[in-house]
Amino acid sequence: MILEVAGREVTVTNPDRVVFPAGGYTKLDLIRYYLAVADGVLRGVAGRPMILKRFVKGIDEEAFFQKRAPAKRPEWIEVAELRYASGTSAEEVVVRDAAGLAWVVNLGCVDLNPHPVRAEDLDRPDELRIDLDPVPGVDWRQIVDVALVAKEVLEDHGLVAWPKTSGSRGFHIYSRIHPQWTFSEVRLAAEAIAREVANRVPDLATSRWWKEERQGVFVDFNQNAKDRTVASAYSVRPTPDARVSTPLTWDEVPGCRPERFTLPAVLDRYAQSGDPWRGIDDSAGSLAPVLDLAARLGPPEKPPKGTGRRPQTLPLIEIARARTKEEALAGLERWRARHPSAAAHLRPADILVDGMRGRSSVWYRIRVNLRHVPRAQRPPQEPLEVDYDPWAGAAGARDGGT
């Protein structure tokens, strides 16, 4: 099938392939969705290099991540070369118009994952991104309360806060900034915002780096690191009900519920009221006040560095390393069955499920924090229930349609 989009011809391969089995949404449905909300989507992705997160067999299979643009691509698809501290580089896709949107969705991209920089200046971000990531057991109301505090902190330091649902468990807040600061400075500023939020509501939020030490809502500042991307505004997420990372007004935030913002609901919402982020491009601010806050707060907690292990202060054991989340969780259930007395003491936040970025896909690690298990009942570290090596025989990136 060939679509005429923005004056260009875009080939759609397998348009009837079902991407969302529960809703029956096909690849063509997904492309038509993105074209219907293209103005809003492009505010978040246009001119930005993006990682291609490709679901080649629908959302029921794990995606693979492709940094490098496919070698076989239309001549009108732009690329930008990003260089990383590791010494590697990648020419990543840069979407400029609705035709580019249709082309990347045809590759199997369900959500869109742009970097916080423009192709014209790859070293100075023009967005600060805050990702509110709740630990298991935290309810939605608490996430919203933390979002409102984050808004106050950003505004107290001269930045305009733009809220959106993540389309998953959390919440995103963006602030446009003048592209005058390095990635390190932007990350430091985001960390200062996170620490200040945690200082204001310590019972609700945390900025602790180590996952096992977190309680409440983690104000994730590390999404501002150079190699990180975040699902953009209007991205459809790979959930059974096709939830959308949906831009909101702050008046909507207190009463919002993420499950209300599905693909068909957002199509109707956009047709009726347009994009609540339509003014975001005119809202850039200065990081100077936030960097002053960082100086006042003093040195932050140091993140992990290198390959050495830090001394454990909590009774953690590792359960599984698996290619898929389902395999990892099945391993956890086998461990629970073998240790029912210990499992009975575990709380939701004691189960640490980590999605780990491999060379081209996410793999999953499960750890258990035994802090609530009486010492005499704590099982020792045992051989892993699933012991997957994500670096063994990793396949290279693939090109073309799906």
Side-chain angles (χ1 to χ4, degrees), residues 135-190:
V135 305
V138 170
D139 64 26
W140 180 254
R141 179 68 249 178
Q142 184 170 336
I143 300 169
V144 168
D145 289 343
V146 173
L148 295 171
V149 175
K151 171 182 183 287
E152 292 175 359
V153 173
L154 288 162
E155 292 179 345
D156 287 349
H157 295 85
L159 295 175
V160 180
W162 297 86
K164 68 182 178 76
T165 63
S166 73
S168 184
R169 297 177 57 248
F171 198 88
H172 295 160
I173 304 170
Y174 285 17
S175 286
R176 287 284 172 85
I177 56 176
H178 300 301
Q180 299 173 0
W181 293 272
T182 64
F183 273 96
S184 295
E185 290 169 321
V186 175
R187 184 184 179 282
L188 177 62

Side-chain angles (χ1 to χ4, degrees), residues 41-61:
V41 178
L42 290 169
R43 285 192 182 92
V45 305
R48 302 180 185 278
M50 67 168 63
I51 290 176
L52 304 178
K53 180 182 175 185
R54 298 175 62 179
F55 292 84
V56 297
K57 296 182 179 179
I59 64 165
D60 289 338
E61 301 258 346

Side-chain angles (χ1 to χ4, degrees), residues 67-249:
K67 286 186 177 181
R68 290 169 178 81
K72 296 179 181 179
R73 59 181 185 268
E75 54 85 22
W76 44 266
I77 290 291
E78 296 182 34
V79 297
E81 186 175 13
L82 278 75
R83 298 182 181 276
Y84 297 96
S86 63
T88 61
S89 65
E91 286 192 337
E92 297 188 13
V93 168
V94 178
V95 166
R96 295 285 184 182
D97 58 17
L101 289 177
W103 182 79
V104 297
V105 176
N106 180 63
L107 291 179
C109 295
V110 173
D111 49 11
L112 307 178
N113 293 269
H115 290 273
V117 292
R118 306 278 181 171
E120 293 75 18
D121 189 347
L122 297 173
D123 295 318
R124 292 175 176 80
D126 70 340
E127 281 184 344
L128 182 148
R129 300 169 173 180
I130 299 295
D131 178 11
L132 302 183
D133 183 13
V135 305
V138 170
D139 64 26
W140 180 254
R141 179 68 249 178
Q142 184 170 336
I143 300 169
V144 168
D145 289 343
V146 173
L148 295 171
V149 175
K151 171 182 183 287
E152 292 175 359
V153 173
L154 288 162
E155 292 179 345
D156 287 349
H157 295 85
L159 295 175
V160 180
W162 297 86
K164 68 182 178 76
T165 63
S166 73
S168 184
R169 297 177 57 248
F171 198 88
H172 295 160
I173 304 170
Y174 285 17
S175 286
R176 287 284 172 85
I177 56 176
H178 300 301
Q180 299 173 0
W181 293 272
T182 64
F183 273 96
S184 295
E185 290 169 321
V186 175
R187 184 184 179 282
L188 177 62
E191 186 170 11
I193 294 293
R195 294 170 70 191
E196 180 63 15
V197 171
N199 287 343
R200 293 190 186 189
V201 284
D203 293 337
L204 301 180
T206 180
S207 63
R208 300 290 294 177
W209 175 273
W210 304 104
K211 189 169 185 178
E212 63 269 22
E213 297 176 355
R214 298 174 194 163
Q215 295 290 328
V217 177
F218 175 47
V219 186
D220 189 352
F221 50 87
N222 201 48
Q223 300 300 348
N224 297 275
K226 186 172 184 178
D227 61 344
R228 297 301 180 91
T229 60
V230 178
S232 66
Y234 295 104
S235 279
V236 183
R237 306 307 302 277
T239 60
D241 55 355
R243 293 188 190 183
V244 174
S245 183
T246 306
L248 305 172
T249 67

Side-chain angles (χ1 to χ4, degrees), residues 193-325:
I193 294 293
R195 294 170 70 191
E196 180 63 15
V197 171
N199 287 343
R200 293 190 186 189
V201 284
D203 293 337
L204 301 180
T206 180
S207 63
R208 300 290 294 177
W209 175 273
W210 304 104
K211 189 169 185 178
E212 63 269 22
E213 297 176 355
R214 298 174 194 163
Q215 295 290 328
V217 177
F218 175 47
V219 186
D220 189 352
F221 50 87
N222 201 48
Q223 300 300 348
N224 297 275
K226 186 172 184 178
D227 61 344
R228 297 301 180 91
T229 60
V230 178
S232 66
Y234 295 104
S235 279
V236 183
R237 306 307 302 277
T239 60
D241 55 355
R243 293 188 190 183
V244 174
S245 183
T246 306
L248 305 172
T249 67
W250 281 107
D251 286 342
E252 294 176 298
V253 170
C256 74
R257 294 291 310 180
E259 64 270 18
R260 296 175 187 165
F261 301 108
T262 59
L263 186 154
V266 171
L267 277 176
D268 290 344
R269 169 188 168 89
Y270 195 91
Q272 292 173 15
S273 55
D275 181 17
W277 281 22
R278 61 179 64 90
I280 193 171
D281 288 328
D282 301 319
S283 68
S286 171
L287 271 191
V290 187
L291 292 173
D292 289 342
L293 170 65
R296 294 195 303 273
L297 291 173
E301 179 184 18
K302 290 185 178 181
K305 187 176 183 180
T307 58
R309 292 182 176 271
R310 71 177 182 119
Q312 289 290 349
T313 59
L314 293 170
L316 290 175
I317 59 173
E318 190 169 3
I319 304 300
R321 298 183 183 186
R323 187 179 63 85
T324 68
K325 191 173 184 178

Side-chain angles (χ1 to χ4, degrees), residues 23-41:
Y25 306 125
T26 64
K27 181 196 283 190
L28 184 59
D29 293 330
L30 192 61
I31 291 173
R32 285 175 171 162
Y33 159 82
Y34 275 110
L35 295 180
V37 299
D39 286 347
V41 178

Side-chain angles (χ1 to χ4, degrees), residues 324-402:
T324 68
K325 191 173 184 178
E326 290 73 19
E327 290 172 321
L329 291 173
L332 174 64
E333 290 309 307
R334 291 194 297 272
W335 180 89
R336 283 180 180 273
R338 284 206 321 279
H339 303 287
S341 60
H345 291 280
L346 298 179
R347 301 178 186 178
D350 294 336
I351 307 297
L352 307 175
V353 181
D354 303 309
M356 312 289 285
R357 184 71 65 86
R359 286 182 58 189
S360 62
S361 61
V362 172
W363 58 279
Y364 293 88
R365 177 182 67 180
I366 293 185
R367 295 172 295 159
V368 169
N369 191 338
L370 300 173
R371 59 188 162 181
H372 295 115
V373 180
R375 190 176 299 273
Q377 298 180 33
R378 293 176 182 174
Q381 177 66 59
E382 300 170 327
L384 299 182
E385 292 289 340
V386 188
D387 195 358
Y388 168 69
D389 181 357
W391 307 108
R398 289 167 280 179
D399 290 348
T402 65

